[in-house]
Structures are given as C-alpha cells and as structure tokens.
Amino acid sequence: MTNDIPNIEGAVCAPPLAHEERIVMGHGAGGRMSHQLIRKVFMSAFQNSALNAGDDAALIQLDARQRLSVSVDAHVVEPLFFPGGDIGKLAVCGSVNDAAMLGATPLYLTAGFILEEGLPIETLRRVVESMRAAADEAGVQIIAGDTKVVQKGKADGLYITTTGVGVVREGVNISGANAKVGDAVILSGAIGDHGIAVLGARGELGFQSSLQSDVAPLNRLIAAALDASPNIHVLRDPTRGGLATTLNEIAAQSNVGVVLHESAIPVRAEVNAACEMLGFDALYVANEGKVVVIVPQEDAEKVLAAMKSAKYGEDSVIIGEVVAEPKARVLLKTVLGSTRVADMLAGEMLPRIC
Amino acid sequence: MTNDIPNIEGAVCAPPLAHEERIVMGHGAGGRMSHQLIRKVFMSAFQNSALNAGDDAALIQLDARQRLSVSVDAHVVEPLFFPGGDIGKLAVCGSVNDAAMLGATPLYLTAGFILEEGLPIETLRRVVESMRAAADEAGVQIIAGDTKVVQKGKADGLYITTTGVGVVREGVNISGANAKVGDAVILSGAIGDHGIAVLGARGELGFQSSLQSDVAPLNRLIAAALDASPNIHVLRDPTRGGLATTLNEIAAQSNVGVVLHESAIPVRAEVNAACEMLGFDALYVANEGKVVVIVPQEDAEKVLAAMKSAKYGEDSVIIGEVVAEPKARVLLKTVLGSTRVADMLAGEMLPRIC
C-alpha cells in the first residue's frame, strides 16, 4: 500500500537503519520497521508528490477534470486459503479498497502472478475464480495480467501483486493529512478478524474457531459514506499493523492527536480470546474489510447512518475524535478509565498476513 | 505483459490443458505453453475487451478525450544483476516499454516488492537506485509502492512487479491486430542480447563474453517513430519468446502472414556463437530493449530514418513485410534461399530471463 510510505513526521522516531544490514520479517509487518525501511531506501530514491503524500493510493491529476487514484499491493499470505477468503480475494479487495481510499470509484485492476513450479493448476484455477468473483462484486475489470514461474522452493505456491486504478469523485478532498481537530472517527466494524482467521488457518490458535476473515470490497460502503457527506476528511483501511498503526499514521500526517474510547471499539469474543492467549493486542491485528472514516462532527451522524445501512458497514460506530494535543499520537481511554498511548506497531507481529 | 493474454486464434492450436496438472517452468517462458495456460485459466475467468485485445498493454477509454495505456510485468530474473542491467532496471523498462506499445507516453509506475528474509539491504539499495535512474531516463514517476517480506527460501532475493500507466497520443490507433497486407516490418536493432547476457551472468555460456543486455526504456524511440508517422499499425517489444514468438502473436491477432528476410535480421556474432553452442535460435531469445514497428510501406522509410536517429534505434532495419497468406504464420526466407515456418516458441527455453 502507498501508506507503507510514511510521511516524514511518522518516521522521525524510527531508529537509524544502519543497525540492520539484512531484511527481516519485521520489515514486512507494516509497522515502524516497514516505515523505516521504506523511508530510508525507497522514499529517498523515489521522490515525488504523489508518493510523498503517504496515502493508501497515489493521487494523479490527469488533466483539469480527471483525477486518478492508483494503488499497489503485493500479496504473500500464508496459507493461500483461509476461512472467509484466499489470496485471490485478498489481492482484488486489497487494491480495490486502497484505490477507493482517496474517494475514488475503482474501475480497473492489473495482476502479476509469480507461480511456483509444481503448483497444482487446480489451485490456480480456484484462486483465479475467487478473483473473478471479488472483481464482479466490486464492479472492477482485471484488464492486464502477467505470469512468471520460478523453480520449486523459490516461491510459496503463488504470489499476486495487484494495482488498482480508480477515478476520484469531483468535489472530494481526502487524505490522511486532512484530519481536523474536532473531527469524529468512525470505524466500520469489529477489528482483528482477518489476522486471527489466518492464524487459525495455520493451526496456531490451539483451539477450533469459526472466525472468518473480514476480507471484502469496501468501494460501495465508501461510496455510501461519500454520498452522505462529500466533506469526509480521511478514509483508510486498517490492514497490516491494525487500527492503532493506521491511526498513528493519520495522526502524524495531519499533525493532530486521536483519542479512542476502548469501550466503543468492537472486538469479537473469539478475537479477544485469541489475543489474550497469544499475547496480542487486537488494536494491532490486521483487518481486510474495515475502514476508518474521519469526518467533521456535524456530518458524523449522517455518515454513520449511511454506513450502517450499507453492506459491510452494519456495525459501524464512532470510536473517538481528533484532538489538538498530543500531536502525532493516539491515546486510548481504557474501559478502566485510564488513558494510555497506543503507539505504532513496533516490529513483527503476524508475518505473511496479507 | 498483457500480450501474455493471447487472442483466441493464437491459442487455438494449443493442446488441451487437461494433460498438465501442475505448473512447470515452460508455463512462464512466454511461448505457447504460457499462452495456453493464460487462455485456459485467466482468459476464461477475466473476460473484458481490454484484456481480450491481447496487446502489450490494456487500452482504457477514460472519457471522450483521454485514453490510458496500462501494463503489468512480474520480474523474477536470475541472477538479480547481469551485464547491462539488473532486476530494477528491467522492472522499470519492462513496464515503460509495454505502456508505450499502444502509442502512449508512459508517465507513472507502481512497484510491488517481495523481499526474501536475509536479503542484504545494500542489495535492495542498489536495485532501487537502478530503478530511480531508469525512471529518470524514461521520464516516469514511481508513485506507489508496496513491500512484503517472505521467509528465507520462499523467494529468490527479491521479486518486483511493476505496473505502467501512460496517456495514449491523440490520433493514433495501434494494436497487434492492426497489421495490414503490404506493411513493412521494422526492427530496432540486434536480437538476443538480453537472453544471452543473462545466461552469461549465470556462467552457462562456457566462455567469457563482453555481451551486455539491451535492457532500455524505449518510450522516446517510439515517440520519434510516431512523430515521423502517426499511421504506425503495430508496436511490440519482442521479450520472452523472442522475435519469432512476438511476430506469431501479431500474425494471429491480425490474421495475416509475416515474411522475414533472415539476412536482414541483425544478430551479434557473440549471440550467434552462444546460440550455436547451446542449440538455441536467436529468433526465440528474449530482448528487453528492442521494438518491432509495423507501418504502411509508404511511411516505412521516414519511420526508419526517425528510428535510426533516435537513441536505442541506431541499428533499426526493415526485416520483412506483411502478406496475405499463410494467415497467422511467420515465414523465414533463409540466407540459403529456402523458406521455413518460424513458429511460436513451443515450451521452455530460458527460464527466469526477466
């Protein structure tokens, strides 16, 4: 995701890269280590305004009228199939959702496949059929593809990299840098389902779980929110790194604070149970079918109502607000009444989650 | 490349996929096995006009005025560094060139990185710097990126998937389906350099070679050709599968024949020597900095002159012409005066070449 590319504030607190000479799993976890690698290696080389914006997708001003939203995601989830989805559905929804996060209508996808020698073609067929179904639901076309094959052991079944292209609505101006003091923070539903469902598919939960990944195309939910108010300031899906990391990115980009009310954040009992057992915090577990909407207070109720009446938004809830201080920080008011800082994910928590 | 997606004619002669149950290296070689896999697995699922066109890039009619060219390439070249280039330069040039092949000006790239745990960060820096240099030369911006990390042994250093977005010139209508009987076939220079240079880097030549890959951004060469004549019918870069496979794709898409004059096709002595030793035919060896231009005879000389005066086109030459029969076939008039069919690459020749 383009929001792997952090704004400068967001990465200032990262330790120097000099101490790390090799890639480790934490560099792919979507937290501070990922941001640090990207800032030190990629940002310093690829300087341009679209990239520097640090949003889920890049905004392209094609001409006086047309604005495009372009996103890219590499998918390496393990296992390839998990409750509620698979790598194909994940690849389509990931790029559809990122492209939509600038207030765009996703229209087109490209897909690059890296296949491991020996992969059963029936497995590939299942993944491709899942991509087709997800693309049909989202209303996007997969217009270009490429396929490469690597020797046995040089990949893990298959990897899929998708790029999404969307047309940005006229009259909207959405970015992680646009959160304003007083804005309401809306979350579209329960957190942590994807990460815990994938762990379950790996047999790492130690108990049977009926939990399903929340992976879903969110473009119509976002369209419903924008129909209710074109004044939405921020849209972002809390994927790798979870809700806390996503809100830290936004707080840093907008140079504001975010206060969350822990009691308002929906978490399923199974996710809580798994997190307690594994020592995780659901605030940092990946989601693939949730969106954070930051909107002026005066529009919050109508946007919330529109989201609740849209598919994948039924459990939408206001979870907090944007404050002036502390800047670039996320504070959590706990159920016990205390307040703690919810920092960005530090390193590795769940590898190969998407 | 989108031209991994063959037109139906091009794939009719392929044997049924039912006989193959698993992915083999030949599925990634860019020849008939690749076309067959893509037709049976991808085309049957992802039906849309842009994809079905089977060109190097997908044409998107954004509105009454704007046409976009969108291409995607997954890059798994082994080794990562080779004479004349590396996986980073290859990734940028591959998508720049494919996006340009519809007569477009490439403007934007996305890049998805799959990194292997343990990859030296200095290696990644070198690749990224090479991407920056190639993007600067091509005049494109890398506007969005994503980075994932997989465990040691689950990748081969790094893989890069790039998507290119370009704006199609007004007044041009270029496709592999547009070759017309009587058209001239122009090639921008010597064939086989990339494939043989990569083999050399693997130490598979058995002799020292100073041969360099021809990997280069061709967008300015193509712009020069289009400035000379907007009537160009076909543009395509003969990458995986080589010149013969590319011309077979075009012959099938346009339902015409192509006659090549072997004596006119430039091949370096080192490439000929390597091919003789290894039992290869240079017509099937990959290029990464060459383009085939098919243009009406009356415009051929001025397009040729424009190409010769442009960087990477100095050795451009007319190598053949488009004929009515045999349809969907490429004939080679040999130096000995005989004529043989130059068919599409059947299976695997050089794995992991791009």
Side-chain angles (χ1 to χ4, degrees), chain A residues 1 4 21-23 48 63 66 74 110 118-119 121 142 145-148 151 153-154 159 163 240 352, chain B residues 1 4 21-23 48 63 66 74 110 118-119 121 142 145-148 151 153-154 159 163 240 352:
Chain A
M1 291 161 291
D4 276 0
E21 295 177 294
R22 293 181 176 274
I23 294 295
N48 60 74
D63 58 27
Q66 288 273 22
T110 70
L119 176 74
I121 285 175
I142 297 171
D146 187 33
T147 306
K148 295 289 161 64
Q151 296 88 343
K154 299 296 188 179
Y159 303 139
T163 281
R240 280 184 298 176
R352 309 277 306 273
Chain B
M1 291 162 292
D4 275 2
E21 294 177 295
R22 292 181 177 276
I23 293 296
N48 60 75
D63 58 28
Q66 288 273 20
T110 69
L119 177 74
I121 286 175
I142 298 170
D146 187 33
T147 306
K148 296 288 162 64
Q151 296 90 338
K154 298 296 189 180
Y159 303 140
T163 281
R240 279 184 300 173
R352 308 280 304 273

Side-chain angles (χ1 to χ4, degrees), chain A residues 1-5 17-18 20-29 34 37-38 40-42 44-52 57-58 60-66 68 70-76 78 107-108 110-122 124-125 128-129 131-132 141-156 159-163 165 167 240 351-352 354, chain B residues 1-5 17-18 20-29 34 37-38 40-42 44-52 57-58 60-66 68 70-76 78 107-108 110-122 124-125 128-129 131-132 141-156 159-163 165 167 240 351-352 354:
Chain A
M1 291 161 291
T2 321
N3 77 338
D4 276 0
I5 316 282
L17 195 64
E20 308 154 61
E21 295 177 294
R22 293 181 176 274
I23 294 295
V24 298
M25 295 307 293
H27 286 124
S34 299
L37 176 74
I38 284 147
K40 295 292 185 89
V41 176
F42 296 101
S44 54
F46 306 147
Q47 283 293 333
N48 60 74
S49 58
L51 188 64
N52 298 353
I60 295 172
Q61 187 78 48
L62 208 56
D63 58 27
R65 299 178 306 101
Q66 288 273 22
L68 296 184
V70 181
S71 65
V72 59
D73 268 299
H75 297 88
V76 299
E78 191 272 310
L107 296 174
Y108 308 106
T110 70
F113 295 83
I114 296 172
L115 309 179
E116 182 182 12
E117 180 183 22
L119 176 74
I121 285 175
E122 188 49 38
L124 180 61
R125 283 189 195 275
V128 165
E129 177 53 30
M131 292 178 77
R132 185 202 59 72
Q141 292 184 333
I142 297 171
I143 58 170
D146 187 33
T147 306
K148 295 289 161 64
V149 178
V150 295
Q151 296 88 343
K152 204 159 184 53
K154 299 296 188 179
D156 201 356
Y159 303 139
I160 307 174
T161 300
T162 44
T163 281
V165 178
V167 172
R240 280 184 298 176
R352 309 277 306 273
C354 60
Chain B
M1 291 162 292
T2 320
N3 77 339
D4 275 2
I5 315 286
L17 195 63
E20 309 154 58
E21 294 177 295
R22 292 181 177 276
I23 293 296
V24 298
M25 296 307 293
H27 285 124
S34 299
L37 176 74
I38 285 147
K40 295 292 183 87
V41 176
F42 297 101
S44 54
F46 307 146
Q47 284 292 333
N48 60 75
S49 59
L51 188 64
N52 297 354
I60 295 173
Q61 187 78 46
L62 206 56
D63 58 28
R65 299 177 306 102
Q66 288 273 20
L68 295 184
V70 181
S71 65
V72 59
D73 267 299
H75 297 88
V76 299
E78 191 272 313
L107 296 174
Y108 308 106
T110 69
F113 295 82
I114 296 172
L115 308 178
E116 183 182 14
E117 181 184 21
L119 177 74
I121 286 175
E122 188 50 37
L124 180 60
R125 283 188 196 276
V128 165
E129 176 53 29
M131 293 179 76
R132 186 202 58 73
Q141 292 184 334
I142 298 170
I143 57 170
D146 187 33
T147 306
K148 296 288 162 64
V149 178
V150 295
Q151 296 90 338
K152 206 158 184 50
K154 298 296 189 180
D156 201 355
Y159 303 140
I160 307 174
T161 300
T162 44
T163 281
V165 179
V167 173
R240 279 184 300 173
R352 308 280 304 273
C354 59

Side-chain angles (χ1 to χ4, degrees), chain B:
Chain B
M1 291 162 292
T2 320
N3 77 339
D4 275 2
I5 315 286
N7 51 80
I8 299 310
E9 293 83 354
V12 157
C13 42
L17 195 63
H19 297 299
E20 309 154 58
E21 294 177 295
R22 292 181 177 276
I23 293 296
V24 298
M25 296 307 293
H27 285 124
R32 175 157 292 123
M33 289 184 72
S34 299
H35 282 196
Q36 176 191 1
L37 176 74
I38 285 147
R39 187 173 68 97
K40 295 292 183 87
V41 176
F42 297 101
M43 291 283 282
S44 54
F46 307 146
Q47 284 292 333
N48 60 75
S49 59
L51 188 64
N52 297 354
D55 285 317
D56 273 6
L59 182 67
I60 295 173
Q61 187 78 46
L62 206 56
D63 58 28
R65 299 177 306 102
Q66 288 273 20
R67 291 182 298 169
L68 295 184
S69 170
V70 181
S71 65
V72 59
D73 267 299
H75 297 88
V76 299
V77 65
E78 191 272 313
L80 297 175
F81 299 87
F82 47 82
D86 57 71
I87 191 171
K89 184 177 184 181
L90 200 59
V92 169
C93 295
S95 287
V96 162
N97 294 346
D98 284 343
M101 294 299 157
L102 289 179
T105 303
L107 296 174
Y108 308 106
L109 293 183
T110 69
F113 295 82
I114 296 172
L115 308 178
E116 183 182 14
E117 181 184 21
L119 177 74
I121 286 175
E122 188 50 37
T123 302
L124 180 60
R125 283 188 196 276
R126 285 174 60 199
V127 168
V128 165
E129 176 53 29
S130 174
M131 293 179 76
R132 186 202 58 73
D136 286 352
E137 182 185 353
V140 299
Q141 292 184 334
I142 298 170
I143 57 170
D146 187 33
T147 306
K148 296 288 162 64
V149 178
V150 295
Q151 296 90 338
K152 206 158 184 50
K154 298 296 189 180
D156 201 355
L158 74 153
Y159 303 140
I160 307 174
T161 300
T162 44
T163 281
V165 179
V167 173
V168 179
R169 286 188 177 214
E170 288 187 25
V172 304
N173 177 22
I174 294 167
S175 166
N178 292 356
K180 301 283 182 299
V181 174
D183 286 354
V185 179
I186 305 173
L187 174 66
S188 64
I191 59 172
D193 296 2
H194 176 72
I196 300 303
V198 171
L199 273 190
R202 292 181 191 162
E204 295 179 15
L205 287 187
F207 60 83
Q208 285 302 314
S209 166
S210 61
L211 190 69
Q212 303 247 317
S213 166
D214 61 345
V215 59
L218 300 177
N219 50 316
R220 292 191 167 85
L221 170 63
I222 287 165
L226 286 166
D227 290 343
S229 168
N231 305 320
I232 288 172
H233 288 156
V234 182
L235 292 167
R236 187 162 293 172
D237 52 343
T239 51
R240 279 184 300 173
L243 180 64
T245 300
T246 293
L247 289 172
N248 271 276
E249 292 166 356
I250 295 167
Q253 275 178 275
S254 297
N255 197 32
V256 297
V258 173
V259 173
L260 298 179
H261 303 283
E262 186 175 31
S263 60
I265 301 171
V267 186
R268 298 184 203 285
E270 285 171 291
V271 172
N272 268 328
C275 286
E276 280 174 25
M277 195 184 60
L278 299 165
F280 291 160
D281 182 338
L283 288 172
Y284 298 91
V285 178
N287 312 277
E288 291 292 343
K290 297 299 182 300
V291 59
V292 170
V293 180
I294 298 182
V295 59
Q297 284 290 351
E298 58 269 29
D299 290 358
E301 285 305 328
K302 61 182 175 185
V303 169
L304 180 65
M307 290 173 67
K308 281 167 160 289
S309 62
K311 190 174 183 185
Y312 305 124
E314 299 84 353
D315 301 330
S316 296
V317 58
I318 295 175
I319 59 169
E321 55 273 338
V322 177
V323 296
E325 300 289 344
K327 298 195 185 309
R329 283 277 176 274
V330 177
L331 299 181
L332 187 74
K333 287 194 185 299
T334 70
V335 288
L336 305 173
S338 63
T339 298
R340 68 173 174 92
V341 171
D343 203 352
M344 182 173 284
L345 177 64
E348 170 187 354
M349 192 162 95
L350 301 174
R352 308 280 304 273
I353 210 69
C354 59

